[in-house]
Amino acid sequence: MAVNRRAVLLLCGSTAGFLLLDLHKVSIAVPSIERALHPGPAGIQLIQAAYVVCFAVTLVPAGRVGDAGRRLTLTYAGLYLYLAASALCAVAPTAGPVIAGRALLGVAAGLLMPQMMGIVQQLFSKAERGRAFGVYGMCVSLATALGPSLGGLLVTAPLFGWRGVFVLNVPVGVVLVVAAHTLLPAVGRDQGERRRPDIDVLGLAFGSLALVALLTPFIFTTGRPGDVAVRWLSLVPAAGFAVLFATRGRRRVTAGRAGVIDPGLLRIPSFRNGVLVSLTWFAAGPGVALALTVYLQEALGVSPFLAGLVMLPSSATAVLGAWLGGRHVVRLGRLLTGTGMLLVLVSTVGTVAMLHTGLPTPVLLACIPMLQLVGGLGGGLVVSPNHSMTLMDVPATQGSAASAIGQLGQRISNSMGVATASMAYYSPIYGAGYTLTNAPALLHRHALDLATTTSCLFLSAAITVVVVDLHRQTRLRRQPPVPQPETVRAGPR
């Protein structure tokens, strides 16, 4: 059976879109979860962090196993786990099962994401990948465009409430499972011999412990008098585990075995620079989305559905940005990502400035989406081209592993972005003795300013990385070509 490459590409992009959507859409339900389950700031942070951390730690081994000929097996396992974990979150009676369900959702996402990008790597040649990842990015943007609005609508519905954001996953998961069983068997036949993957379990444990220890003080900073100052000492074991992780990786490579991160991939300049961009860029977006959606609901009294609609224009124009980025990435490269980041910065600062004007809520709800159009376009110009530039020189046989490393950088970035922005937003509110649902509007505005500033610092760091990389590329282009030895032809005597 021949592979329907276009249909498989749409399936991979849509699956990735819904996995990334789970990073953001819970922000829509945060006020409703606070009212219903009373988890407090640390509990809300854990609901958000459980998904991102488990997503991150599953990526690399799943990528290795996928490259060893098991992409299809992991894809099916991830989809069924996605369904089961979504159902657990939807019926959870307390915050504990929600946190557990979010952790399982993160594992499912970690299993699936490397396989989706690895399949694209497998099916499309290097020359085709720019446009292929443009279509992939459009699917991701379309899924993230529709998700917040649908999730907000279900949260608003009395039948579901906060559970609506997880109920939405169930029909989506069923459709993805059916499509995978229909389209992917032909892809599986092209993978060749299965082999036993060489996974550094101990190195993965060191890396995971380093990430958890790094996030701990941010998650448990509530601003309340009961916060224990000793929590910041967890940064010491975080550094220690990071050193063990790096040392373990070097020793494995010296012995001729695979580490968690393949240093050979990091020696590919396009791949290494794409990962550095991801490490900074993906820390900015989740914090902005969280702060804005909570502020709209709790300070302006907007319903979750309307809060989702306000975010809709940004995701919709991201589809256009991804399409344009896919078409022009080969010619413009880092100029696209730099322009996109500047557009996002203008949109973010402009949105917060608009909220400071004191205009009536209906006027704000009419004006803010216009700024979101600009931000969405910029985001599309960043994500799709960066995917292409990160993976364009990676061999197809290492597609899942390379995707896993790239995604690992993104998820670490996401987790830091969410943790720091949440800490910045929640601390002044809970520290003043309020909760998200009863704090005055002025206090919410102060919290919004702090969270947005935190996110903009990450965004500024991402712009700096792009400028440095663009300068490097320009310098390389200006270097004279290396002269080749002339070929001497034997003429007639």
Side-chain angles (χ1 to χ4, degrees):
M1 183 173 61
V3 180
N4 186 337
R5 296 200 307 167
R6 182 167 292 276
V8 172
L9 177 59
L10 294 175
L11 170 63
C12 291
S14 300
T15 302
F18 282 106
L19 297 177
L20 295 178
L21 175 61
D22 268 294
L23 293 169
H24 307 289
K25 71 180 182 184
V26 171
S27 300
I28 292 285
V30 162
S32 300
I33 292 174
E34 170 75 0
R35 289 188 182 90
L37 304 181
H38 310 291
I44 294 173
Q45 282 261 49
L46 287 172
I47 289 172
Q48 294 170 314
Y51 180 80
V52 185
V53 171
C54 291
F55 194 164
V57 301
T58 311
L59 279 165
V60 172
R64 291 279 166 78
V65 174
D67 281 339
R70 294 170 175 82
R71 283 180 185 155
L72 210 58
T73 301
L74 292 188
T75 297
Y76 295 142
L79 287 172
Y80 284 115
L81 182 58
Y82 177 86
L83 271 172
S86 298
L88 173 60
C89 291
V91 301
T94 61
V98 176
I99 295 170
R102 287 281 288 169
L104 290 175
L105 273 172
V107 173
L111 292 176
L112 284 166
M113 186 64 83
Q115 317 321 321
M116 297 302 100
M117 300 190 74
I119 288 171
V120 177
Q121 287 283 102
Q122 176 183 326
L123 292 182
F124 294 90
S125 67
K126 178 179 176 180
E128 297 174 309
R129 287 176 196 166
R131 294 204 175 197
F133 278 112
V135 175
Y136 183 95
M138 288 173 62
C139 294
V140 170
S141 298
L142 186 59
T144 54
L146 297 176
S149 300
L150 292 176
L153 180 60
L154 292 174
V155 170
T156 305
L159 179 63
F160 298 117
W162 64 268
R163 304 176 193 274
V165 292
F166 302 113
V167 171
L168 175 62
N169 287 0
V170 176
V172 168
V174 170
V175 171
L176 293 177
V177 166
V178 172
H181 280 289
T182 302
L183 297 171
L184 296 186
V187 176
R189 291 193 184 97
D190 294 334
Q191 296 187 85
E193 294 280 337
R194 291 191 176 190
R195 60 189 186 277
R196 183 175 181 178
D198 186 13
I199 299 175
D200 182 8
V201 177
L202 183 58
L204 184 65
F206 287 149
S208 302
L209 290 171
L211 178 59
V212 171
L214 175 65
L215 295 177
T216 295
F218 299 99
I219 291 174
F220 290 99
T221 297
T222 68
R224 291 170 170 171
D227 284 352
V228 181
V230 74
R231 69 190 183 280
W232 292 103
L233 292 179
S234 70
L235 295 178
V236 176
F241 284 126
V243 170
L244 289 173
F245 173 78
T247 303
R248 169 79 176 177
R250 284 196 299 269
R251 289 177 178 174
R252 291 264 300 187
V253 172
T254 301
R257 303 186 65 186
V260 175
I261 296 177
D262 185 349
L265 288 172
L266 293 177
R267 284 193 287 269
I268 301 173
S270 57
F271 179 78
R272 181 180 62 249
N273 294 330
V275 171
L276 288 175
V277 169
S278 295
L279 277 170
T280 47
W281 160 258
F282 283 92
V288 172
L290 168 71
L292 184 58
T293 52
V294 172
Y295 181 84
L296 289 174
Q297 293 179 65
E298 298 306 313
L300 300 185
V302 173
S303 70
F305 175 58
L306 284 179
L309 284 181
V310 168
M311 306 299 291
L312 180 61
S314 66
S315 299
T317 51
V319 177
L320 174 61
W323 178 75
L324 291 172
R327 289 182 63 87
H328 301 291
V329 62
V330 175
R331 183 168 59 90
L332 297 177
R334 284 288 170 222
L335 284 175
L336 281 175
T337 53
T339 301
M341 289 178 183
L342 290 175
L343 290 176
V344 171
L345 183 61
V346 169
S347 171
T348 301
V349 174
T351 298
V352 175
M354 181 75 66
L355 292 170
H356 274 269
T357 59
L359 293 170
T361 298
V363 176
L364 290 174
L365 294 180
C367 295
I368 290 176
M370 304 302 292
L371 290 166
Q372 295 297 303
L373 288 171
V374 176
L377 179 64
L381 291 176
V382 174
V383 176
S384 178
N386 195 59
H387 273 160
S388 299
M389 287 183 284
T390 302
L391 298 176
M392 64 171 53
D393 297 322
V394 173
T397 55
Q398 295 177 282
S400 289
S403 168
I405 295 172
Q407 288 288 326
L408 176 63
Q410 293 177 18
R411 299 295 76 82
I412 292 173
S413 181
N414 282 148
S415 60
M416 280 302 300
V418 170
T420 54
S422 298
M423 180 186 70
Y425 197 104
Y426 301 153
S427 294
I429 291 176
Y430 287 92
Y434 295 98
T435 67
L436 294 180
T437 57
N438 63 14
L442 284 177
L443 189 54
H444 272 288
R445 185 179 298 173
H446 175 59
L448 174 68
D449 292 342
L450 292 177
T452 304
T453 300
T454 300
S455 296
C456 285
L457 289 175
F458 284 115
L459 184 54
S460 300
I463 293 172
T464 302
V465 174
V466 168
V467 170
V468 171
D469 190 41
L470 182 60
H471 177 69
R472 182 192 64 83
Q473 292 177 346
T474 303
R475 189 175 65 251
L476 288 176
R477 283 196 297 267
R478 289 176 178 174
Q479 289 179 352
V482 178
Q484 300 296 322
E486 295 183 3
T487 301
V488 179
R489 291 189 175 183
R493 295 187 178 181

